[in-house]
Amino acid sequence: MPVHSTLCKTSRMCEGIDLAKPDRPNQVELGRKEDSRVHKLFLDPTGSHLVISLSTSECLYLNRNTQKVRSLSRWRGHLIESVGWNKLLRTETNTGPILVGTSQGIIFEAEISASEGSLFNTNPDQYFKQVHSLEEDGRPAPVCCIEVERGPESKVVIIATTRKRLFQFVGRVAEGSEQQGFSAIFSQNQELLPSFQEFPFNMGYSEITFYTPKLRSCPKAFAWMMGNGVLYGQLDYVKLDSLLSDVQVWDYTPDIDFSFNKPISIVLTQFHFLLLLPDRVKAICTLNGQVVYEDVFPDKFGTLKKMIKDPAGGLVWIYTEKAVFRYHIQREARDVWQMYMSMNKFDLAKEYCRDRPECMDMVLAKEAEHCFQDKRYLESAKCYALTQNYFEEIALKFIEAKQEEALKEFLLKKLNNLKQSEKTQITLLVTWLTELYLNCLGLLQSDEGKHGVFQETRDEFRKFLSSSKHKECLYNNRTTIYDLLASHGNVDDMVYFSVIMQDYERVISHHCQHDDYSAALEVLSKHCDEKLFYKFSPILMQHIPKKVVDAWIQMGSRLEPKKLIPALVNYSQMGSTQQVNETIRYMEFCVYQLTVTEEAIHNYLLSLYAKYKPDSLLWYLEQAGSHLSDIHYDLKYALRLCAEHGYLQACVLVYKIMELYEEAVDLALQVDVDLAKTCADLPEDDEELRKKLWLKIACHVVQEEKDVKKAMNCLSSCNLLKIEDILPFFPDFVTIDHFKEAICSSLEEYNQHIDELKQEMEEATESAKRIREDIQEMRNKYGVVENQEKCAACDFPLLNRPFYLFLCGHMFHYDCLFQEVTPHLSTYKQTKLDELQKKLAAATQTSKSRHRPAPKEEGGDTASLGKGSAGVSREQIKSDIDDIIACECVYCGELMIKSIDKPFIDPQKFEEEKSSWL
């Protein structure tokens, strides 16, 4: 804690005040002669070391940790006027090398240690040697103040003042040699006279003070109180000739009279220096030299003696013979911004009003106006953009001054400062800036000497268009931006903007208009937009068909081939061979790679094969399959297409798939008889049709080709034909020798067939006999049904309803058996069963009506006959129904065996059944 010491002139006591315990002063007895008085006290910045200079040219030393006052014997004989403390090497018990100034102008280097010395050296002063001396007008002058500071890069600065002069000693101390003292600093300045400033007037003493922004940092400013006034300014450690910079002299005000009202002390703060007078304190601003504060002390406290500043806490202390006063400086910089603003030091003004928006706005407005007056329009625009001044007024100022570049800068800065919610303002500024950029680019483009500036401006404009911050606004107003770009004819930037907006349609259209089809396709392939492929494929297919098809293939299943057909049809009909080949290549890719099943695609590929690649047509038809379920093209269209181009073999193949075998054979006979033979064997289940087809072939061979041997081969190829079937086709003059063998062979077959028929008749007679015996035996068979027997299907008592009893032992109710059998019947039998059910219901209704009294009229015999017929018919119907549903046991017969591969649930009813379980 810093300690402040006060001493009365006639007292032999030293009184210290601890700020933590101000009501308990610490008094130390000096123990000296009565005629000795305290000349000056020198307290180091930490409060650890106190040097007391006595009027008898003696010096005493007091350490804060001891109560013992010790004499500095080596200092005896010198009246000490100033002490320069060592701020780097000092400790609580040792001062390190320090400088001492005397009333005779001599500067000594000394060191004081509070620790006890050796047996032969008990003095606290370790050494005391002269290093320099100061003069005024050729005579020694008292060293009023001396200050030691360390600057950057191991630089040591010593500032000493006399009554009229301010001396500077600057030197460097090697790292690690600080303990050797300051002799080297003064020796470096021996060859040259020390740098000093001198003023003519002498008031008997002077005092210098420094301002240090942070503890243990270098001082930044100084103030020297001397006869002509107060010299103040900044310290610049980089300058070589002098540390002092921006030096000014503040002249004393008229109320300061050296006869009665001489200044006593001075203290420097960041923006003011305080001047102590016998009865008051004045505060003068260092920025404008104005007195901003004055505090007058009452007489009851006595004359003011001294004013000092605590370097650690920043407090200012003033004491009289009766009291001690403390000043605490607060918000010293609150109005500094105004002074800096009036001095046009706008950066400093902004620094000191950073947390006061209203003041910052005033500074920015003043700076902007100042720059505008100095024709620094760009700087003015940047400042105006940060102010709250009316937007329209500022914009008009730049327009009237014809400063479009500055206007653009102002709008850009203003745009960046807007919030995202201010959509209207953002839209206005974006549109305006676009217009300004386009105007500027148009002017620069016409000037060939400004190509570099043009390129920079274009890059800046494109950076503006691609700004993510304003992307939403640009997107929402892209139509307006496009119109502006189009009105200026700026095609390149329009394309660039379209890419940013992902408006690839416009980009592709631009490339197509300029016949740059490869670039258009590159954009298409890069962004893979299916809709754009459908739109631009027609024109691209016309010029770069191979690349287009490659792009389509690369897109794969993402494109719908059906939507590309218009482009393919258009240019396959009017295009070159390359376009046709590429069209076929893509259609083959769709059919064979993508396995597209759309009929339009297959039909179109068929038409291309028929027109341009007939060799592939037949192969395609063959590999497409022979079953209707496998066919994906329109058979009728394919037939018409092949017929139009005369591809008969292909037509035969289509007829075969359509199962039009007669037409196939007729057409095949025009191509090849062997082909017709393969067609004739196709209807395997219809022998009559097969025979008919083979007769067509035989007729053709006989009548058209007149080839008897080939006709005979037909007989051997088809076992359905006989010699008598083909004899009518031969002409009358044909001799029997040509088919004698065939006739003999046919007769032999007839004889063999007659023998087979006789054997079959005998077997049939024997079988009929056995059947009659079995029927007779079956009529005598019976089964016993107990009253507890149950239906095998519903598990209810069997005798409650009509039932069936099978030889296997299963018993079913009539209706239960009906329900079990019906699902397994073929469609034909189900239809027949439904018809029998309806007839049975109608016959039953007729039977019931017999018990009603009939009207006596003519025709009664006919009605009775009708009823009798109905009765017979009803029994026959029931017998027919029994033949269908009771021909075998549903659990033991063939129905159950055939149903083994059927699913338990009908696939058509699966979803309905599934939902019923949820």
Side-chain angles (χ1 to χ4, degrees):
M1 178 65 68
V3 176
H4 183 72
S5 299
T6 62
L7 191 66
C8 296
K9 288 184 178 180
T10 59
S11 173
R12 294 199 301 268
M13 300 289 293
C14 180
E15 183 178 278
I17 301 175
D18 190 342
L19 295 181
K21 303 173 183 178
D23 56 340
R24 299 179 186 177
N26 186 16
Q27 296 182 350
V28 179
E29 176 67 38
L30 297 180
R32 287 290 165 181
K33 301 176 182 179
E34 293 185 359
D35 58 347
S36 65
R37 293 176 178 272
V38 175
H39 177 60
K40 284 187 178 181
L41 298 177
F42 305 100
L43 183 67
D44 86 309
T46 63
S48 299
H49 309 280
L50 175 65
V51 173
I52 305 170
S53 175
L54 302 179
S55 58
T56 56
S57 299
E58 293 179 289
C59 287
L60 303 177
Y61 171 71
L62 179 64
N63 189 273
R64 184 174 63 178
N65 297 328
T66 65
Q67 296 295 318
K68 183 179 179 181
V69 177
R70 304 173 69 184
S71 175
L72 302 175
S73 59
R74 290 188 175 90
W75 297 34
R76 188 175 295 126
H78 299 283
L79 183 61
I80 306 303
E81 294 289 344
S82 59
V83 174
W85 298 101
N86 192 325
K87 299 180 178 65
L88 182 64
L89 299 177
R90 67 192 173 199
T91 64
E92 288 190 358
T93 60
N94 192 291
T95 62
I98 61 174
L99 294 178
V100 179
T102 69
S103 60
Q104 296 300 315
I106 302 174
I107 299 176
F108 289 93
E109 182 181 316
E111 183 177 355
I112 304 174
S113 177
S115 59
E116 294 293 336
S118 64
L119 180 63
F120 301 101
N121 183 16
T122 59
N123 294 328
D125 48 340
Q126 301 298 306
Y127 64 89
F128 191 74
K129 62 180 181 179
Q130 180 179 347
V131 292
H132 199 71
S133 61
L134 302 180
E135 295 181 351
E136 282 183 1
D137 302 328
R139 295 189 299 274
V143 183
C144 299
C145 294
I146 188 167
E147 187 76 19
V148 179
E149 296 293 345
R150 296 193 178 270
E153 301 178 358
S154 303
K155 184 180 289 187
V156 176
V157 177
I158 300 172
I159 297 178
T161 65
T162 60
R163 292 166 297 187
K164 298 192 300 181
R165 290 184 177 181
L166 185 150
F167 294 87
Q168 304 175 53
F169 302 91
V170 181
R172 297 183 184 275
V173 177
E175 188 174 353
S177 61
E178 293 87 351
Q179 194 67 40
Q180 296 178 3
F182 305 103
S183 301
I185 306 299
F186 290 101
S187 63
Q188 292 176 13
N189 291 271
Q190 289 294 328
E191 298 180 0
L192 301 173
L193 291 175
S195 175
F196 68 89
Q197 288 194 348
E198 183 176 8
F199 288 86
F201 194 77
N202 178 4
M203 67 175 180
Y205 57 88
S206 70
E207 183 175 338
I208 191 168
T209 182
F210 297 90
Y211 168 69
T212 304
K214 295 180 180 179
L215 193 64
R216 297 186 179 89
S217 64
C218 302
K220 298 297 182 184
F222 77 97
W224 180 36
M225 181 186 72
M226 41 79 183
N228 287 80
V230 176
L231 179 71
Y232 62 94
Q234 305 296 315
L235 295 178
D236 187 352
Y237 295 93
V238 181
K239 290 178 64 178
L240 299 177
D241 54 343
S242 174
L243 292 175
L244 312 182
S245 66
D246 298 334
V247 175
Q248 300 181 59
V249 177
W250 181 76
D251 297 325
Y252 293 123
T253 55
D255 61 332
I256 299 177
D257 184 3
F258 284 180
S259 301
F260 307 100
N261 199 17
K262 222 193 282 191
I264 301 171
S265 288
I266 188 170
V267 165
L268 181 63
T269 63
Q270 187 176 5
F271 299 107
H272 303 83
F273 61 83
L274 304 179
L275 200 61
L276 182 68
L277 300 172
D279 62 343
R280 67 191 62 196
V281 174
K282 287 178 178 285
I284 297 91
C285 179
T286 56
L287 298 178
N288 56 15
Q290 299 295 319
V291 179
V292 296
Y293 176 77
E294 187 170 350
D295 190 11
V296 180
F297 287 75
D299 294 336
K300 63 179 180 177
F301 297 118
T303 305
L304 302 178
K305 294 296 184 181
K306 189 69 174 176
M307 176 175 62
I308 58 174
K309 181 183 178 184
D310 179 7
L315 300 176
V316 176
W317 298 87
I318 300 175
Y319 66 90
T320 68
E321 294 179 350
K322 300 179 180 180
V324 177
F325 300 94
R326 178 175 65 184
Y327 281 87
H328 183 60
I329 302 172
Q330 292 180 325
R331 298 181 62 205
E332 181 185 5
R334 64 182 181 274
D335 295 325
V336 168
W337 66 272
Q338 291 181 322
M339 300 177 191
Y340 279 131
M341 185 177 68
S342 62
M343 297 163 63
N344 294 335
K345 295 182 177 181
F346 301 108
D347 292 337
L348 292 171
K350 288 183 283 188
E351 183 178 348
Y352 290 102
C353 63
R354 196 176 301 278
D355 55 345
R356 300 165 69 182
E358 69 283 356
C359 301
M360 179 67 79
D361 190 69
M362 294 173 63
V363 174
L364 289 169
K366 180 69 180 297
E367 182 182 8
E369 185 62 30
H370 177 74
C371 293
F372 192 89
Q373 296 299 330
D374 288 351
K375 300 187 184 304
R376 292 181 290 152
Y377 297 109
L378 285 177
E379 297 177 30
S380 176
K382 293 177 182 178
C383 294
Y384 268 131
L386 299 174
T387 66
Q388 300 299 320
N389 290 22
Y390 289 114
F391 172 83
E392 297 83 357
E393 293 180 1
I394 300 170
L396 285 172
K397 286 185 71 170
F398 288 116
I399 293 173
E400 291 173 357
K402 297 181 179 180
Q403 295 296 322
E404 285 197 5
E405 195 67 27
L407 176 61
K408 183 175 65 177
E409 186 68 27
F410 168 70
L411 297 178
L412 280 171
K413 292 292 182 182
K414 204 71 177 176
L415 178 62
N416 291 330
N417 294 333
L418 290 176
K419 299 177 182 177
Q420 291 296 326
S421 58
E422 299 174 303
K423 297 185 182 296
T424 304
Q425 293 88 330
I426 291 175
T427 302
L428 171 65
L429 293 180
V430 166
T431 309
W432 196 352
L433 280 166
T434 303
E435 178 68 24
L436 289 176
Y437 271 118
L438 291 173
N439 287 336
C440 183
L441 288 171
L443 293 173
L444 292 173
Q445 192 173 17
S446 61
D447 191 345
E448 296 181 357
K450 295 183 178 180
H451 178 73
V453 180
F454 169 77
Q455 195 59 43
E456 290 179 5
T457 306
R458 166 168 280 183
D459 294 342
E460 184 182 340
F461 178 47
R462 292 187 172 184
K463 184 178 179 181
F464 167 74
L465 292 177
S466 60
S467 171
S468 58
K469 186 176 181 181
H470 314 304
K471 185 175 182 179
E472 182 182 356
C473 175
L474 288 166
Y475 182 80
N476 294 334
N477 298 277
R478 61 188 183 280
T479 304
T480 304
I481 304 298
Y482 283 135
D483 292 342
L484 288 173
L485 289 165
S487 66
H488 285 266
N490 196 330
V491 179
D492 293 338
D493 289 322
M494 181 186 293
V495 172
Y496 179 82
F497 180 67
S498 301
V499 173
I500 294 173
M501 294 293 104
Q502 298 182 353
D503 189 358
Y504 303 118
E505 181 177 351
R506 190 179 294 268
V507 178
I508 298 168
S509 297
H510 166 76
H511 289 315
C512 292
Q513 289 171 4
H514 291 76
D515 298 335
D516 193 355
Y517 303 104
S518 297
L521 182 61
E522 183 179 352
V523 175
L524 262 179
S525 303
K526 182 177 180 181
H527 300 286
C528 302
D529 190 329
E530 294 84 357
K531 294 181 180 178
L532 295 181
F533 264 103
Y534 302 143
K535 181 173 182 178
F536 290 99
S537 287
I539 187 171
L540 294 177
M541 191 66 187
Q542 183 180 5
H543 297 89
I544 49 172
K546 185 179 186 307
K547 292 182 179 180
V548 173
V549 171
D550 290 340
W552 288 349
I553 293 174
Q554 188 176 5
M555 286 288 289
S557 59
R558 285 178 288 180
L559 290 178
E560 295 184 38
K562 189 175 181 179
K563 294 184 179 179
L564 294 173
I565 286 181
L568 296 170
V569 170
N570 186 18
Y571 298 108
S572 64
Q573 291 178 352
M574 57 182 291
S576 64
T577 304
Q578 183 187 12
Q579 292 167 347
V580 172
N581 291 336
E582 294 303 325
T583 301
I584 294 175
R585 181 163 72 96
Y586 181 66
M587 287 292 98
E588 289 176 342
F589 170 77
C590 295
V591 171
Y592 302 128
Q593 300 294 328
L594 299 182
T595 62
V596 175
T597 59
E598 293 184 15
E599 187 178 90
I601 300 299
H602 287 262
N603 287 345
Y604 183 48
L605 180 59
L606 266 176
S607 68
L608 292 173
Y609 279 153
K611 190 173 182 180
Y612 301 105
K613 292 183 70 175
D615 296 339
S616 301
L617 176 62
L618 189 60
W619 176 84
Y620 167 79
L621 293 173
E622 289 174 349
Q623 64 84 34
S626 58
H627 297 286
L628 292 176
S629 59
D630 300 330
I631 303 300
H632 301 299
Y633 56 86
D634 187 343
L635 288 168
K636 294 181 179 179
Y637 174 75
L639 183 62
R640 184 173 68 253
L641 199 64
C642 296
E644 287 177 359
H645 292 84
Y647 302 135
L648 300 182
Q649 192 170 351
C651 291
V652 171
L653 183 58
V654 176
Y655 275 133
K656 286 161 61 176
I657 297 171
M658 297 173 69
E659 297 182 357
L660 299 175
Y661 302 116
E662 290 190 47
E663 290 82 352
V665 169
D666 291 340
L667 197 59
L669 288 174
Q670 300 179 28
V671 179
D672 183 23
V673 174
D674 293 335
L675 178 62
K677 289 180 180 181
T678 59
C679 297
D681 285 332
L682 290 176
E684 298 177 355
D685 298 334
D686 193 344
E687 291 186 354
E688 184 179 352
L689 178 60
R690 281 180 60 203
K691 184 176 181 180
K692 182 179 179 180
L693 297 177
W694 276 102
L695 285 174
K696 282 179 176 287
I697 297 172
C699 180
H700 174 80
V701 170
V702 174
Q703 295 181 355
E704 299 296 332
E705 298 185 7
K706 304 184 186 304
D707 191 339
V708 177
K709 291 184 178 181
K710 192 177 289 187
M712 294 299 102
N713 291 335
C714 291
L715 294 177
S716 60
S717 299
C718 179
N719 56 4
L720 300 177
L721 291 182
K722 305 298 179 185
I723 186 62
E724 60 268 24
D725 295 327
I726 64 172
L727 282 176
F729 302 139
F730 287 99
D732 295 336
F733 54 83
V734 177
T735 61
I736 196 171
D737 294 337
H738 291 91
F739 38 86
K740 179 179 179 180
E741 294 179 1
I743 294 174
C744 294
S745 175
S746 179
L747 292 174
E748 289 176 0
E749 288 179 4
Y750 279 127
N751 291 333
Q752 184 180 355
H753 183 60
I754 291 170
D755 293 340
E756 290 175 356
L757 287 176
K758 287 180 179 179
Q759 185 177 353
E760 288 178 2
M761 290 174 63
E762 291 175 359
E763 291 176 356
T765 303
E766 185 65 27
S767 177
K769 180 180 179 181
R770 287 198 299 269
I771 290 172
R772 281 194 294 272
E773 292 174 355
D774 289 341
I775 292 173
Q776 187 64 35
E777 185 179 352
M778 287 294 294
R779 285 177 178 174
N780 298 328
K781 279 190 176 184
Y782 64 92
V784 178
V785 180
E786 303 292 340
N787 58 357
Q788 68 272 17
E789 294 290 345
K790 295 183 179 180
C791 175
C794 67
D795 205 31
F796 279 92
L798 185 69
L799 301 178
N800 290 348
R801 302 197 299 272
F803 63 90
Y804 289 96
L805 172 64
F806 293 93
L807 293 175
C808 61
H810 287 114
M811 293 169 277
F812 299 90
H813 289 129
Y814 168 78
D815 54 344
C816 293
L817 182 63
F818 188 89
Q819 292 178 1
E820 289 287 334
V821 172
T822 303
H824 300 286
L825 296 176
S826 63
T827 305
Y828 169 75
K829 288 188 176 182
Q830 285 184 0
T831 305
K832 186 176 181 180
L833 185 61
D834 291 340
E835 292 176 355
L836 291 172
Q837 287 282 93
K838 293 177 181 178
K839 289 181 180 180
L840 180 61
T844 303
Q845 187 67 25
T846 305
S847 176
K848 289 181 180 180
S849 63
R850 287 185 303 174
H851 303 287
R852 298 175 186 172
K856 292 181 180 181
E857 56 184 32
E858 293 182 2
D861 295 338
T862 306
S864 298
L865 182 60
K867 291 173 186 178
S869 301
V872 175
S873 177
R874 184 170 177 273
E875 292 301 326
Q876 184 62 42
I877 291 171
K878 290 181 68 177
S879 176
D880 292 342
I881 292 175
D882 288 344
D883 291 342
I884 294 175
I885 67 172
C887 62
E888 61 180 355
C889 176
V890 71
Y891 286 171
C892 302
E894 291 185 5
L895 285 177
M896 185 58 63
I897 296 172
K898 292 180 179 179
S899 67
I900 194 169
D901 60 344
K902 291 185 178 180
F904 290 108
I905 302 174
D906 188 353
Q908 297 179 353
K909 299 180 180 179
F910 178 78
E911 292 298 330
E912 181 181 351
E913 186 69 22
K914 178 181 175 182
S915 61
S916 66
W917 283 79
L918 299 178

